[in-house]
C-alpha cells in the first residue's frame, strides 16, 4: 500500500461533484485514495511505464474515444469546469473501480518491495546495533571523562582553597602585627601629646619667673645671668614643643597610613573569607548534592577581574605595603621616643642651669644684704655718736657764754674808770685777749658743730640709702628665693616630661 501524496496530472482537471447534485464526473478523492493507500510503511516509489494499461491516462484516453470531443477533459475550459451542466455530462465512475484502477502492481514489484524491505530492516537493525554499541562506548567514555573532569575541577578548587587559606593566614598574621603596631604608635602618640602638655607647666613657670623678676626695684632690676638663663629656658621649652608637635603630626600621618593599610588588609581578608566559603561550598558539591541546578549560558559569562598572578600579586602588595608602613611606624616610634628623651633632658638641663644661676644670684644678693645690714648698723652707731658729739659741742658753745659775759662785763665796767685811770694796762690787754680767745673758741666750736651736723645729715642720707638698698635686696631675695624658687619646685619630673603618666 502507498500513502497518498497528491493528485496525478490528469486527475487535477476534475473536481468532485457538488453536494446535493447526485451526479458527478468522478468520485471524491478523499473517500477513495485515502482509504485505499493508507499505510504506515515507508513510501516506495515505483516507476510507471507509459505503456502500462493501468496508467490513469488510459482511462482518460478511452473516455475521449467514447465521449464527444467537446466533452473531453483536455478540451474543457477551466472557467466552466465547475458548472453544473458540464459536470453533469461526465459519466459516473464507481469507487471500487477507481480503487482497483490505482492499486495494481506486478508480482515482480511485490517481491522487489518485500526484498527491499528485508534488506532495509537488516541494514537498519545493523546500524542500530552499531549505534547502540557506539553509544554505550561513548557513554562509558563520557562518564569516565566527566568523572575525571569533575575530579580535576574539585582538585583545582581544593588547590585554590589551599592558596586562599595560605594568603588568608598571611593576611591575618599581618593584620595582627598591624593591629599591635597601631596600638603601639597610638600609645606613642599619646605619650607625645602628654609630653607636649607637660611642657606647658615649665613654660608657665619660666614666664612667671621672668614676670616676677620684673618687679625687682632700683639697681637690682638688672639683666643678670638668671634672666639670661630664664630666657634660654623659655627658648628651649618652645623648641622642645616644636619638636614634639612635629613628631605628633608625623605620628598622626603614619597612623592614617597604618589604618589605610589595615583597611586594605581587612577588605582583602573579608574577600578571601567570602571566596573561601564559596569555593569550599563548591568543593563540597557532588552529583547527589542539594542546591544544584542548570544555569544556561553561565560558562560563557566572564566576570573575572584578575589572573592568578595578579591575584597573588595584589595580596602580596597589600602585605608588603603593610610591612613597609609597620617599618616606618616602628622607625617613627623610635624617633618619637628619642625626641621625648631629648626634650626632657634638654629641659631638665636648662632647669638645673637656671636653678644654679638662681642659687648664685640669691647668694650674691644675701651677701650684699648682709653687707648693707652691717654698714647700716655702723652708720646708725656713728649717727648716735655724732649726735652725742653735737650735743657736746652745743654744750661747749653754751658753756663759753658765761666766761664771755664775764670778760665783756669786766671790759665794760673798766670803761667807766675816770680820766687817766682809763689806762691800757695789763688787765686791759688780758681781758681783750680773753674776749678774742672766747670768740675764736666759739667760732671753732660752731664750725665743728656745723661740720658735725653736716656729717650727721650725710649719715642720715646714707642710712636712708642703705635702708632703701636693704629693702631692694630683701625684695629681690623674696622674689628670687620665695616666689621663683618656690614655684620652680613644681617642675615636672623627667618621666612626666618623657610622656609617662603618674610619674
Amino acid at each position: 500500500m502507498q500513502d497518498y501524496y497528491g493528485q496525478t496530472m490528469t486527475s487535477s482537471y476534475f473536481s468532485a461533484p457538488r453536494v446535493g447534485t447526485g451526479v458527478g464526473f468522478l468520485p471524491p478523492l478523499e473517500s477513495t485514495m485515502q482509504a485505499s493507500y493508507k499505510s504506515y510503511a515507508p513510501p516506495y516509489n515505483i516507476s510507471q511505464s507509459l505503456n502500462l494499461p493501468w496508467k490513469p491516462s488510459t482511462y482518460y484516453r478511452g473516455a475521449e474515444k467514447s465521449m464527444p470531443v467537446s466533452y473531453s477533459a483536455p478540451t474543457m475550459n477551466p472557467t466552466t469546469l465547475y458548472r453544473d451542466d458540464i459536470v453533469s455530462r461526465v459519466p459516473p465512475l464507481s469507487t471500487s473501480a477507481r480503487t482497483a484502477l490505482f492499486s495494481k502492481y506486478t508480482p515482480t514489484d511485490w517481491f522487489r518491495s518485500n526484498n527491499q524491505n528485508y534488506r532495509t530492516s537488516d541494514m537498519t537493525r545493523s546500524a542500530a546495533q552499531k549505534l547502540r554499541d557506539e553509544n554505550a562506548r561513548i557513554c562509558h567514555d563520557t562518564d569516565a571523562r566527566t568523572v575525571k573532569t569533575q575530579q580535576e575541577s574539585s582538585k583545582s578548587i581544593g588547590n585554590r582553597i589551599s592558596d586562599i587559606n595560605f594568603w588568608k593566614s598571611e593576611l591575618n598574621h599581618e593584620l595582627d602585627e598591624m593591629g599591635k603596631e597601631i596600638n603601639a604608635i597610638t600609645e606613642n602618640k599619646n605619650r607625645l601629646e602628654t609630653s607636649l602638655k607637660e611642657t606647658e607647666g615649665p613654660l608657665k613657670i619660666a614666664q612667671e619667673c621672668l614676670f616676677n623678676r620684673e618687679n625687682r626695684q632700683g639697681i637690682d632690676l638688672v639683666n643678670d645671668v638668671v634672666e639670661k638663663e630664664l630666657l634660654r629656658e623659655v627658648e628651649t621649652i618652645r623648641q622642645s614643643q616644636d619638636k614634639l608637635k612635629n613628631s605628633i603630626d608625623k605620628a598622626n600621618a603614619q597612623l592614617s597610613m597604618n589604618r589605610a593599610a589595615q583597611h586594605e588588609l581587612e577588605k582583602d581578608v573579608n574577600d578571601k573569607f567570602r571566596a573561601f566559603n564559596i569555593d569550599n561550598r563548591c568543593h563540597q558539591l557532588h552529583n547527589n548534592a542539594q542546591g544544584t541546578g542548570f544555569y544556561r549560558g553561565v560558562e560563557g559569562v566572564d566576570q573575572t577581574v584578575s589572573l592568578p598572578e595578579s591575584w597573588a600579586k595584589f595580596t602580596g602588595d597589600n602585605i608588603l605595603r603593610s610591612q613597609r608602613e609597620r617599618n616606618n611606624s616602628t622607625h617613627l616610634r623610635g624617633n618619637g621616643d628619642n625626641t621625648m628623651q631629648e626634650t626632657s633632658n634638654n629641659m631638665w638641663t636648662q632647669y638645673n642651669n637656671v636653678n644654679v644661676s638662681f642659687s648664685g644670684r640669691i647668694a650674691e644678693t644675701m651677701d650684699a644684704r648682709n653687707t648693707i645690714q652691717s654698714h647700716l648698723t655702723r652708720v646708725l652707731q656713728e649717727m648716735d655718736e655724732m649726735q652725742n658729739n653735737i650735743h657736746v659741742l652745743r654744750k661747749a658753745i653754751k658753756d663759753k657764754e658765761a666766761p664771755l659775759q664775764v670778760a665783756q662785763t669786766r671790759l665794760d665796767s673798766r670803761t667807766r674808770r675816770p680820766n687817766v685811770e682809763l689806762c691800757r694796762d695789763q688787765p686791759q690787754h688780758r681781758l681783750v685777749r680773753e674776749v678774742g680767745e672766747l670768740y675764736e673758741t666759739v667760732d671753732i666750736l660752731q664750725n665743728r658743730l656745723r661740720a658735725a651736723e653736716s656729717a650727721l645729715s650725710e649719715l642720715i642720707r646714707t642710712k636712708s640709702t642703705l635702708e632703701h638698698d636693704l629693702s631692694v635686696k630683701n625684695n629681690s631675695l623674696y622674689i628670687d628665693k620665695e616666689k621663683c624658687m618656690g614655684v620652680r619646685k613644681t617642675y615636672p619630673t623627667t618621666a612626666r616630661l618623657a610622656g609617662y603618666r603618674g610619674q
Side-chain angles (χ1 to χ4, degrees):
M1 300 296 289
Q2 300 289 327
D3 285 338
Y4 175 67
Y5 277 86
Q7 298 175 346
T8 61
M9 294 180 61
T10 57
S11 64
S12 63
Y13 289 95
F14 299 95
S15 173
R18 292 186 180 181
V19 178
T21 59
V23 294
F25 185 75
L26 287 175
L29 296 178
E30 290 81 357
S31 63
T32 59
M33 299 298 291
Q34 293 181 2
S36 302
Y37 291 93
K38 186 175 182 182
S39 175
Y40 295 96
Y44 178 68
N45 298 324
I46 302 175
S47 62
Q48 298 178 356
S49 174
L50 296 176
N51 300 320
L52 292 178
W54 48 268
K55 182 174 171 53
S57 62
T58 304
Y59 169 78
Y60 296 114
R61 282 196 298 270
E64 288 177 359
K65 292 179 181 182
S66 63
M67 290 188 298
V69 176
S70 60
Y71 294 117
S72 60
T75 60
M76 288 182 181
N77 188 2
T79 61
T80 62
L81 181 62
Y82 294 98
R83 290 171 50 187
D84 293 340
D85 56 348
I86 299 299
V87 175
S88 63
R89 295 174 185 177
V90 179
L93 183 64
S94 63
T95 303
S96 61
R98 189 177 184 279
T99 302
L101 179 64
F102 283 93
S103 62
K104 294 297 184 178
Y105 295 95
T106 64
T108 303
D109 294 334
W110 184 80
F111 283 108
R112 185 186 300 115
S113 177
N114 290 337
N115 292 331
Q116 182 68 25
N117 289 334
Y118 300 154
R119 289 193 299 270
T120 302
S121 176
D122 292 337
M123 292 173 61
T124 303
R125 284 187 296 101
S126 176
Q129 181 66 33
K130 292 181 180 179
L131 183 60
R132 284 191 298 105
D133 295 340
E134 184 69 18
N135 289 342
R137 185 186 62 79
I138 290 176
C139 289
H140 182 270
D141 293 343
T142 54
D143 288 343
R145 186 167 63 252
T146 300
V147 172
K148 181 180 179 182
T149 303
Q150 191 178 78
Q151 290 177 351
E152 291 177 352
S153 298
S154 298
K155 181 179 179 181
S156 178
I157 294 176
N159 293 334
R160 180 66 174 180
I161 292 174
S162 299
D163 293 341
I164 293 175
N165 267 329
F166 170 75
W167 285 112
K168 189 172 69 170
S169 62
E170 292 293 323
L171 288 172
N172 287 328
H173 174 72
E174 185 60 30
L175 264 177
D176 294 339
E177 295 298 325
M178 178 55 75
K180 294 178 183 178
E181 182 58 34
I182 288 177
N183 293 333
I185 195 172
T186 301
E187 182 181 357
N188 184 265
K189 182 178 73 72
N190 293 335
R191 284 182 54 204
L192 287 169
E193 292 174 350
T194 303
S195 179
L196 178 62
K197 185 177 180 181
E198 291 294 335
T199 59
E200 295 296 332
L203 181 61
K204 289 181 180 179
I205 290 174
Q207 291 176 342
E208 185 177 355
C209 289
L210 288 172
F211 177 77
N212 289 332
R213 297 189 92 245
E214 292 295 325
N215 293 325
R216 292 175 298 169
Q217 300 172 355
I219 194 60
D220 278 11
L221 193 61
V222 61
N223 186 15
D224 53 2
V225 178
V226 176
E227 188 168 355
K228 293 179 181 179
E229 292 296 333
L230 284 172
L231 293 174
R232 190 175 293 112
E233 184 179 22
V234 171
E235 183 66 22
T236 301
I237 294 173
R238 286 177 176 171
Q239 289 178 357
S240 300
Q241 288 179 340
D242 293 338
K243 292 180 180 179
L244 292 173
K245 289 178 181 178
N246 188 23
S247 298
I248 291 173
D249 293 338
K250 290 181 179 179
N252 286 326
Q254 186 61 49
L255 186 60
S256 299
M257 297 296 292
N258 290 352
R259 286 174 176 168
Q262 185 187 37
H263 175 72
E264 292 298 327
L265 291 176
E266 290 175 348
K267 182 180 178 182
D268 201 357
V269 166
N270 291 333
D271 293 343
K272 293 286 187 298
F273 179 75
R274 295 177 59 187
F276 173 80
N277 290 336
I278 293 173
D279 286 346
N280 189 37
R281 187 168 61 252
C282 293
H283 188 260
Q284 293 176 356
L285 288 178
H286 52 85
N287 294 333
N288 297 325
Q290 296 181 355
T292 59
F294 292 104
Y295 299 90
R296 300 296 182 183
V298 69
E299 67 277 0
V301 178
D302 187 7
Q303 296 181 348
T304 58
V305 296
S306 64
L307 297 175
E309 294 77 9
S310 61
W311 173 79
K313 184 177 182 298
F314 177 79
T315 303
D317 291 342
N318 286 337
I319 294 176
L320 289 177
R321 177 188 176 186
S322 177
Q323 291 175 349
R324 183 170 60 253
E325 297 301 336
R326 282 198 299 111
N327 291 333
N328 295 338
S329 180
T330 302
H331 180 69
L332 187 62
R333 284 194 294 111
N335 291 339
D337 292 336
N338 294 335
T339 300
M340 286 185 286
Q341 192 64 37
E342 179 184 358
T343 54
S344 176
N345 292 336
N346 292 339
M347 291 174 61
W348 259 90
T349 300
Q350 187 59 35
Y351 168 78
N352 293 328
N353 293 337
V354 172
N355 288 347
V356 170
S357 62
F358 259 117
S359 299
R361 185 61 179 173
I362 290 172
E364 292 176 354
T365 305
M366 291 184 67
D367 291 340
R369 187 192 66 173
N370 294 334
T371 302
I372 292 171
Q373 186 70 42
S374 175
H375 281 278
L376 182 60
T377 302
R378 290 197 295 269
V379 167
L380 291 175
Q381 183 179 359
E382 185 64 28
M383 285 177 61
D384 186 63
E385 292 179 357
M386 184 57 68
Q387 288 175 352
N388 294 332
N389 184 259
I390 290 173
H391 180 71
V392 170
L393 288 174
R394 287 177 179 175
K395 185 176 181 303
I397 292 173
K398 189 172 182 62
D399 290 343
K400 298 300 184 290
E401 290 178 358
L404 182 59
Q405 289 176 357
V406 172
Q408 288 178 347
T409 300
R410 286 176 178 177
L411 286 174
D412 181 70
S413 297
R414 293 191 76 201
T415 59
R416 288 189 293 272
R417 289 178 299 171
N419 302 321
V420 75
E421 292 297 324
L422 291 170
C423 180
R424 185 175 296 270
D425 51 7
Q426 187 62 30
Q428 184 70 25
H429 290 288
R430 184 57 187 164
L431 286 173
V432 171
R433 286 197 301 269
E434 182 181 5
V435 171
E437 290 177 358
L438 287 173
Y439 275 119
E440 185 178 359
T441 300
V442 170
D443 289 338
I444 292 172
L445 290 175
Q446 287 181 348
N447 289 334
R448 292 297 175 182
L449 179 60
R450 287 193 293 270
E453 289 177 349
S454 178
L456 181 60
S457 298
E458 289 296 329
L459 289 174
I460 292 174
R461 284 195 295 271
T462 302
K463 170 181 170 292
S464 177
T465 301
L466 291 175
E467 287 177 347
H468 175 71
D469 201 7
L470 183 62
S471 65
V472 168
K473 296 298 183 290
N474 288 329
N475 179 67
S476 298
L477 283 175
Y478 174 73
I479 291 174
D480 290 345
K481 187 176 181 180
E482 300 298 332
K483 284 189 173 182
C484 293
M485 292 302 294
V487 75
R488 291 183 69 83
K489 293 179 180 179
T490 62
Y491 205 86
T493 61
T494 307
R496 290 180 60 185
L497 290 176
Y500 295 102
R501 298 178 181 271
Q503 299 292 332

